[in-house]
Amino acid sequence: MVELLDALAVEQIDTNFFRGKLPHRTVLVRAFGGEVAARALAAGSSGMSDGFAVHSIHGYFVRPMVSELPIDYLVDTVKAGRSFVVRRIRALQHGRETFLMVASFHAGDRGVRHADPCPDAPNPEELARIGANDPGYEWDRWDIRQVPGEPNGSARQQVWLRYTEPLPDCSVVHSCALTYASDMTLLGAAVAPHPGIAIQTAALDYSIWFMRPFRVDDWLLYDEISPSAEGGRAFTQGRIFSRSGELVAMVAQERMLRLADPDFVLPEERGFVAKAAV
């Protein structure tokens, strides 16, 4: 249902003022957090000098956003140095701030190199595709395959994912696409130890560190863990590896994770938890 390039697109209205493309058809009641963050990064990347690429983003979801109305993005340059550029992006709907992001861009320097090794996982071709037979699945253009879970019910999971259509050879597109995709399954690690428990959930904050070049239209292994859930909040982390085994990005997110009345699940959570947070 979601065309990725449309989901990432922003229109420049003025020098530092951008607007998300008109909403696409969606089963979600609230705007998808990954899309909001991806568009904020697209707006913040606009006009960036050659040689600079995003290396980290940090955001807070301040208010819920509806999916039927466009979201505006205001961009301010906080720092413009020789090696680093820092920009602040504010998302607004109905004139109220809904999401705040700080994005840092780096021109790249020589330095030492090391990285975590890629964890063991079956090849994606050996696994079943999630949502393949569901005509109402929100992310039908994504191929997402869950690695069978641990029998001890630990708060972790692994998924392979890729976008099924070719994407442009543009690092900004792939960075925004990864920002979008990183929010699709991370909740699953937090709910893995609590099957069958009704919850209400919403993203609170969100960070990504981009380590190495990657393509989102090729397989990526998302190794996810939730070290803690307490007081109605759950903390989650993810390491993202390329098919060749390189660590390309790391993600951290805290979510509201409240117990709900067993007979009550929000409409957007039916669409999100059951179909996305595998």
Side-chain angles (χ1 to χ4, degrees):
M1 297 173 68
V2 177
E3 292 277 3
L4 182 59
L5 294 181
D6 287 345
L8 306 180
V10 291
E11 176 188 3
Q12 187 163 6
I13 306 299
D14 205 340
T15 304
N16 299 315
F17 178 26
F18 300 81
R19 178 165 293 157
K21 191 171 181 178
L22 289 176
H24 49 260
R25 188 165 58 97
T26 177
V27 301
L28 303 181
V29 176
R30 295 178 182 171
F32 175 49
E35 180 175 306
V36 175
R39 285 181 166 176
L41 177 56
S45 300
S46 179
M48 186 61 58
S49 301
D50 290 343
F52 282 85
V54 64
H55 73 90
S56 67
I57 59 173
H58 306 278
Y60 277 89
F61 294 92
V62 181
R63 295 182 178 89
M65 293 156 273
V66 298
S67 58
E68 297 85 1
L69 298 175
I71 298 172
D72 295 332
Y73 297 89
L74 303 180
V75 180
D76 296 313
T77 298
V78 178
K79 173 184 177 179
R82 291 183 298 177
S83 297
F84 290 91
V85 173
V86 179
R87 288 180 172 175
R88 179 175 58 240
I89 305 101
R90 298 185 296 149
L92 298 93
Q93 195 173 61
H94 294 300
R96 304 176 71 193
E97 290 185 341
T98 56
F99 177 70
L100 308 175
M101 175 186 283
V102 175
S104 183
F105 303 80
H106 186 209
D109 298 308
R110 294 194 305 165
V112 299
R113 300 184 75 247
H114 66 265
D116 281 355
C118 185
D120 292 333
N123 292 325
E125 293 83 4
E126 303 172 22
L127 306 171
R129 181 175 177 178
I130 294 170
N133 300 315
D134 187 347
Y137 186 59
E138 177 78 3
W139 292 280
D140 61 336
R141 297 182 187 274
W142 289 89
D143 192 341
I144 304 176
R145 308 191 181 203
Q146 185 177 15
V147 175
E150 298 291 334
N152 61 2
S154 60
R156 66 182 311 140
Q157 70 172 6
Q158 290 179 330
V159 297
W160 285 100
L161 59 84
R162 68 181 178 95
Y163 193 64
T164 57
E165 299 180 4
L167 294 173
D169 294 327
C170 172
S171 63
V172 173
V173 169
H174 288 274
S175 295
C176 294
L178 188 67
T179 300
Y180 184 102
S182 64
D183 195 31
M184 291 166 60
T185 64
L186 195 53
L187 174 61
V191 299
H194 314 288
I197 296 178
I199 58 170
Q200 296 179 16
T201 181
L204 300 175
D205 57 37
Y206 194 59
S207 296
I208 304 178
W209 295 264
F210 301 89
M211 311 293 188
R212 292 169 181 82
F214 56 88
R215 294 191 66 91
V216 177
D217 52 4
D218 197 1
W219 286 112
L220 297 169
L221 178 65
Y222 203 174
D223 185 51
E224 306 167 350
I225 187 170
S226 178
S228 175
E230 182 73 26
R233 302 188 314 276
F235 179 67
T236 53
Q237 295 174 306
R239 300 181 301 167
I240 301 178
F241 296 86
S242 67
R243 182 69 185 265
S244 62
E246 286 194 301
L247 178 62
V248 300
M250 294 190 68
V251 182
Q253 185 183 82
E254 189 175 41
R255 299 189 65 91
M256 182 191 78
L257 201 66
R258 294 175 180 164
L259 293 177
D261 182 1
D263 297 324
F264 174 72
V265 181
L266 293 174
E268 60 269 31
E269 265 57 76
R270 284 200 296 268
F272 182 76
V273 175
K275 295 182 179 181
V278 295

